[in-house]
Amino acid sequence: MSSELSIYDTPAIDRLRHELRFDPHALRRYRNALLKHGRADADAATELPADVREEFLRRVGLHPLELHCRNDSQQDGASKLLFRTRAGMLIESVILRIATGRTTLCVSSQVGCAAACDFCATGKMGIAQNLQPAEILDQITQSRQILATEGRQLRNLVFMGMGEPFHNEENLYATLEALQAPELFHQPPSRILVSTVGLPNAMIRCARRFPNLNLALSLHSANQETRQQIIPLAKRFPLAELRRALVELNRIQPKSTEVMVEYLMLGGVNDSLESAAELAAWLDGLRVHVNLIPFNPIDDAPHLQGADRPTREAFGAHLKSAGLKTTIRYSLGADVAAACGQLVRKENRKHAIAIKTANLSEA
């Protein structure tokens, strides 16, 4: 375990500043340069007094993650970043340069995922390990530094990368606190979205703690039997419970906030007009916005295929005619396996097996 202080641990960093006896305004300028403006480490460090700079940087850990490699899409401007943790595992973040000019970062909260959804490569990894707040936040820091070299600013954060965020609930909350803290990132909650496969009690706890935060539910079917086929956790958290959770979210959150309902369009599974009618009926009376998402094929699910574009558009038209706000999404980063459900797994599998073998040998 590293003895370094985390740059995100505000009380510890403030104590170090007091010990080294330098101007708090210099520390504020340094953190602003690094965390808000994405300046390079060495450049941001020039905001620290020269006489304490070396000692401060010796004792403070900036990056618990190492940038392992970067793959840039040649189609649409997405970038997949592979980070290696100090435990040797790989995680992914994806920079999405939206055509409108807004830039979004898709953040991972775990290595792997225990939800094991049928359509998702991450869930096929066979492991699920929580990331610490500093490991989640460093994805944002390093991504912001990359974008700063392009003259871009990171606007939106979506927790839609590797992992089920509410399986790492307390670390997620610590991360959200740091993101919104004025002395750190000062990210408005309206520009943060947390996506879950559907843990109703955790969704309600999160909304009560962060009422202005955006939440997304990966629903994918309003039919209990169909949903269980593609999302194993649906057996534990049936649709009736999720519906009650959405009603409560609508009560807790401001009237201007809508719950995002993610719906992956799977050919022959959930893409019929009958499925659209079921979905419209299930969502009736709720303050929601539906996102229809194209499916990106994965090797571990050859039995699944995406719905074609006319089917997706007909499905969306049915929802709109029922009065539901609906957006038909198009994938970014598919050519670098950066799109939803295409996250790294092979190397982590090998590393997890090696660790397990070593532990058994020691025992």
Side-chain angles (χ1 to χ4, degrees):
M1 183 68 66
S2 173
S3 60
E4 295 175 334
L5 301 178
S6 169
I7 188 61
Y8 312 112
D9 186 343
T10 297
I13 296 299
D14 286 345
R15 287 193 296 270
L16 176 60
R17 182 207 62 78
H18 188 267
E19 178 188 333
L20 296 179
R21 301 189 179 194
F22 67 92
D23 186 352
H25 295 294
L27 176 60
R28 178 183 55 80
R29 290 193 299 270
Y30 171 67
R31 284 195 290 216
N32 285 348
L34 183 71
L35 305 180
K36 296 176 185 174
H37 302 302
R39 286 165 57 182
D41 293 355
D43 184 33
T46 61
E47 300 292 348
L48 295 168
D51 58 334
V52 300
R53 187 180 305 152
E54 183 177 348
E55 178 64 9
F56 181 90
L57 295 175
R58 184 184 69 82
R59 295 171 62 177
V60 175
L62 299 184
H63 301 299
L65 302 177
E66 173 195 352
L67 183 58
H68 177 68
C69 69
R70 168 182 171 176
N71 295 312
D72 295 319
S73 171
Q74 301 306 306
Q75 296 177 354
D76 48 41
S79 295
K80 181 172 71 172
L81 309 178
L82 268 65
F83 292 105
R84 189 179 297 279
T85 70
R86 288 176 177 170
M89 305 295 279
L90 289 182
I91 61 170
E92 291 187 356
S93 304
V94 182
I95 296 174
L96 303 171
R97 299 172 182 83
I98 312 299
T100 59
R102 294 178 177 179
T103 305
T104 296
L105 180 67
C106 186
V107 182
S108 291
S109 56
Q110 293 182 302
V111 178
C113 183
C117 298
D118 194 27
F119 52 80
C120 181
T122 306
K124 306 290 186 180
M125 200 177 293
I127 54 174
Q129 297 177 6
N130 288 339
L131 292 176
Q132 295 300 308
E135 294 172 316
I136 302 173
L137 293 166
D138 195 30
Q139 297 170 61
I140 298 157
T141 298
Q142 294 201 46
S143 297
R144 182 161 277 158
Q145 289 177 317
I146 289 170
L147 289 167
T149 66
E150 306 169 10
R152 288 178 173 267
Q153 294 184 344
L154 181 57
R155 187 180 191 277
N156 299 317
L157 301 172
V158 295
F159 285 77
M160 301 179 74
M162 296 171 67
E164 163 54 55
F166 289 131
H167 283 165
N168 191 14
E169 192 171 351
E170 289 309 313
N171 285 339
L172 170 68
Y173 292 162
T175 298
L176 294 173
E177 294 281 7
L179 285 174
Q180 296 176 65
E183 70 276 12
L184 296 177
F185 295 88
H186 208 193
Q187 180 81 6
S190 60
R191 295 183 185 177
I192 304 172
L193 181 142
V194 174
S195 178
T196 174
V197 75
L199 281 68
N201 291 338
M203 293 168 69
I204 293 169
R205 285 193 295 270
C206 184
R208 286 175 176 160
R209 189 160 174 175
F210 305 100
N212 295 308
L213 186 77
N214 295 301
L215 288 169
L217 169 62
S218 292
L219 186 65
H220 309 316
S221 179
N223 179 282
Q224 182 64 26
E225 183 178 350
T226 301
R227 193 166 192 269
Q228 286 180 193
Q229 289 175 5
I230 56 179
I231 303 175
L233 275 176
K235 296 175 183 177
R236 288 180 55 197
F237 304 111
L239 285 167
E241 288 189 30
L242 291 180
R243 166 84 192 190
R244 284 194 292 270
L246 294 189
V247 170
E248 183 65 7
L249 294 188
N250 283 174
R251 189 190 67 79
I252 295 170
Q253 295 187 304
K255 298 297 183 184
S256 58
T257 301
E258 299 164 333
V259 179
M260 302 298 258
V261 174
E262 309 291 338
Y263 195 98
L264 190 67
M265 298 291 293
L266 299 170
V269 177
N270 65 353
D271 64 339
S272 67
L273 291 182
E274 290 78 10
S275 295
E278 270 187 314
L279 178 61
W282 194 81
L283 294 173
D284 184 48
L286 295 174
R287 198 168 65 247
V288 297
H289 188 130
V290 180
N291 283 322
L292 300 181
I293 307 169
F295 172 61
N296 302 294
I298 61 172
D299 293 340
D300 286 330
H303 56 289
L304 295 177
Q305 61 182 1
D308 59 31
R309 184 166 180 164
T311 300
R312 297 201 306 271
E313 291 179 348
F315 195 102
H318 187 97
L319 297 182
K320 290 176 183 178
S321 69
L324 288 168
K325 290 186 179 180
T326 304
T327 301
I328 302 173
R329 299 291 181 185
Y330 300 94
S331 264
L332 297 180
D335 62 320
V336 291
C340 300
Q342 292 183 298
L343 301 175
V344 66
R345 65 193 186 282
K346 289 183 179 179
E347 186 162 342
N348 282 347
R349 277 177 175 168
K350 291 190 293 186
H351 189 73
I353 291 170
I355 292 174
K356 185 175 181 180
T357 302
N359 290 340
L360 288 174
S361 299
E362 291 176 4

